[in-house]
Amino acid sequence: MHEQAGSEPGRISKAVVAGPARLSQVIRTASENSAGPLPLLLSVNQEGGRLNALDWPGVAQLPGNLALGAAVDEDLAELAGTAIGEQLRSVGLTWNLAPVCDITGWPAAAAVGARSFGSDPERVGLLAAAFVRGVQAAGVAATAKHFPGLGGVGGDPHHVAPVVDRLDQGALLPFRAAIDAQVACVMVGSHTVLAVDNKPALASPRVLGLLRDELGFGGVVVSENLSIRAVHEPLGGLAGAAVAAVEAGVDIVMLDSEVSRGRSSSAAGRRRAQVVQALTAAVEQGVIDRRRIGEAVERVQELHRRYGLTPGSVRPDWRSANAAAWRATEQIADRSVAVVRGDRPLPLDVPSGKVLALVRVPDEGQRRADSARYTPDYLPALLAAHHGVVQVPVGAPVPTAGPVIVYGYDTRTTTAGPSRAAQEATRLVECGRTVVHVAFGDVDDLAGSPAPVLVAAFSPHRASVAAVARILLGDGRAHGVVPVAGASW
């Protein structure tokens, strides 16, 4: 059984541990007081982009995978992995549940989106392998996920139990590349691929056989988070899902603390105890072969020995690691922002005495785990340093004859058709305004927009917003490309 560092009161909880220094102290104390025979090993989701557990103010947040795909640079992908790895190791977290190796498409699957490196399997594989090398060079175990690939999945596995007929072409290639790069772990998804088996991937001996036998992976296999109802319900509940996963070949079943799902710590503890009891009973009754358990134990122990922290383990200085991450963030942002349409009107021409109008379209997405949603809106202040700026609500009249910038992070509608941001751009274009439409999240937000200028930033974090501002103001230029085929503007 495995838990992520994240939200259990009294332990490693962002609600209690207010910042990197305190987190580092708590983990160091836990390592020193650990009575177990193995070094302490704690995992975390720090992907960059949308999903970052270390999301306190002042922590450098790397642009996500789609930004790295837009930059088309393996060295930058490795730099991102190294930067994140050194941040994590400096606070004592030495197992990262990243990178996402899923291939995205057009439109993007809700669970993937900007978390993917792109739609070209070979390019995704190269970037995933580079990211793995960077993370593990920093002394942190990497995890390729979500095997065998979420690319063709329509529903979000956080909310539904997706079933697809077959794998997308090339879906396994990024995982093979990560394995060739010696990735320490692979996470198996909860979706069902009927061409392989009629069971969810994490409970399918055929899917696990594909990973072990065809791809030759010999490291630790971890399940998708079984605490998610949509993950465990198809397998008879939490305990049943754990037994099915281990029986199929998973080495570690992952549970979160469940406090974030509204359960008390005591209730979460009882549920974890039920999982342990169910697994123990399954072994005693012969449902799970003891040799299967022995193999898993050997792999997990080796992971602890290779990446776990002992009291004397060398850890980078946080300030140095975070400063290096800031530098990496700025390099990636500078190389990744893409002008999708209309670079000729740039830089923006703001007539004398006029101001820039900014229309911030509120988020509408349904993603459960999305730290980037709470990133501050940096664009108004960055532009106001050079021009007068007026912020206008969606749908309101724009009281200036200058350019209008429509932007948002996650403005896609839940039904077919243009995003809410694209609808707002349409309204303003029909009113005769000069519109620049910027997507700071999924590039899908730009689809259907009639704005003469479309900009994709792939990240709402400060460095990416600053790169967009420089392009709009004429102090920089766009270098990125949209790494997703099939897009129509």
Side-chain angles (χ1 to χ4, degrees), residues 39-63:
L40 183 67
L41 181 65
L42 296 171
S43 79
V44 70
N45 273 304
Q46 191 78 8
E47 296 176 2
R50 287 192 179 280
L51 196 53
N52 299 290
L54 272 64
D55 59 356
W56 295 289
V59 176
Q61 304 297 346
L62 276 291

Side-chain angles (χ1 to χ4, degrees), residues 45 47-48 51 65 97-104 111-118 124-125 127-128 131-132 143-146 150 174-175:
N45 273 304
E47 296 176 2
L51 196 53
N65 287 352
L97 301 176
V100 169
C101 290
D102 306 312
I103 298 168
T104 192
V112 182
R115 298 171 68 198
S116 170
F117 291 104
V124 171
L127 296 173
F131 188 94
V132 167
T143 306
K145 63 185 186 184
H146 307 80
L150 287 172
F175 293 95

Side-chain angles (χ1 to χ4, degrees), residues 370-467:
D370 192 352
S371 67
R373 180 181 301 279
Y374 306 105
T375 298
D377 181 3
Y378 298 109
L379 189 61
L382 290 171
L383 294 177
H386 301 269
H387 295 288
V389 167
V390 58
Q391 294 179 258
V392 181
V394 172
V398 179
T400 171
V404 183
I405 301 173
V406 175
Y407 67 105
Y409 168 59
D410 188 9
T411 70
R412 294 188 300 172
T413 57
T414 55
T415 58
S419 68
R420 191 178 179 195
Q423 295 173 32
E424 180 67 2
T426 300
R427 179 184 75 86
L428 293 165
V429 167
E430 290 175 348
C431 291
R433 311 311 300 263
T434 299
V435 178
V436 176
H437 182 175
V438 182
F440 285 111
D442 289 332
V443 70
D444 305 45
D445 283 6
L446 300 175
S449 174
V453 181
L454 301 180
V455 180
F458 310 106
S459 167
H461 298 302
R462 185 178 183 90
S464 296
V465 180

Side-chain angles (χ1 to χ4, degrees), residues 6-28:
S7 56
E8 183 172 348
R11 292 193 181 179
I12 302 169
S13 167
K14 288 193 295 180
V16 175
V17 181
R22 177 59 178 151
L23 177 60
S24 178
Q25 180 185 17
V26 169
I27 294 177
R28 189 178 298 279

Side-chain angles (χ1 to χ4, degrees), residues 48-340:
R50 287 192 179 280
L51 196 53
N52 299 290
L54 272 64
D55 59 356
W56 295 289
V59 176
Q61 304 297 346
L62 276 291
N65 287 352
L66 203 61
L68 294 168
V72 200
D73 190 328
E74 290 174 61
D75 290 340
L76 284 181
E78 186 166 349
L79 177 66
T82 301
I84 289 173
E86 290 184 347
Q87 283 178 308
L88 294 179
R89 188 171 180 87
S90 72
V91 297
L93 298 169
T94 55
W95 180 5
N96 193 12
L97 301 176
V100 169
C101 290
D102 306 312
I103 298 168
T104 192
W106 186 270
V112 182
R115 298 171 68 198
S116 170
F117 291 104
S119 62
D120 183 324
E122 291 189 6
R123 183 180 296 173
V124 171
L126 291 171
L127 296 173
F131 188 94
V132 167
R133 290 194 297 270
V135 171
Q136 296 191 167
V140 173
T143 306
K145 63 185 186 184
H146 307 80
F147 190 82
L150 287 172
V153 171
D156 187 340
H158 291 106
H159 304 286
V160 298
V163 178
V164 296
D165 291 333
R166 61 184 62 84
L167 290 172
D168 283 351
Q169 185 175 2
L172 297 182
L173 196 155
F175 293 95
R176 189 185 298 276
I179 291 167
D180 289 345
Q182 305 299 309
V183 69
C185 307
V186 170
M187 181 186 293
V188 182
S190 59
H191 55 301
T192 299
V193 182
L194 294 176
V196 182
D197 202 346
N198 61 359
K199 300 177 181 178
L202 60 81
S204 168
R206 293 179 182 176
V207 170
L208 272 297
L210 186 65
L211 176 61
R212 294 292 191 196
D213 301 332
E214 184 170 329
L215 272 62
F217 180 62
V220 169
V221 175
V222 60
S223 75
E224 174 59 282
N225 188 352
L226 297 186
S227 296
I228 300 170
R229 178 174 295 178
V231 174
H232 66 239
E233 278 191 341
L235 295 165
L238 189 59
V243 171
V246 175
E247 183 184 3
V250 168
D251 298 316
I252 298 179
V253 293
M254 178 170 60
L255 310 178
D256 65 20
S257 73
E258 303 191 68
V259 174
S260 62
R261 300 174 199 283
R263 294 189 176 90
S264 67
S265 58
S266 59
R270 288 193 297 272
R271 284 164 61 84
R272 293 195 293 276
Q274 291 169 2
V275 169
V276 172
Q277 292 166 5
L279 288 170
T280 302
V283 173
E284 292 173 345
Q285 295 166 11
V287 175
I288 299 175
D289 193 299
R290 290 182 182 271
R291 289 176 297 180
R292 164 84 271 280
I293 296 297
E295 293 169 355
V297 168
E298 289 181 7
R299 294 188 188 108
V300 173
Q301 287 180 338
E302 176 57 27
L303 186 69
H304 274 265
R305 285 190 289 265
R306 183 176 177 186
Y307 291 102
L309 284 178
T310 62
S313 295
V314 176
R315 291 161 56 173
D317 171 72
W318 166 256
R319 289 187 178 181
S320 297
N322 197 46
W326 276 116
R327 292 191 293 272
T329 296
E330 291 166 355
Q331 291 181 54
I332 296 165
D334 182 64
R335 300 299 303 179
S336 60
V337 174
V339 175
V340 178

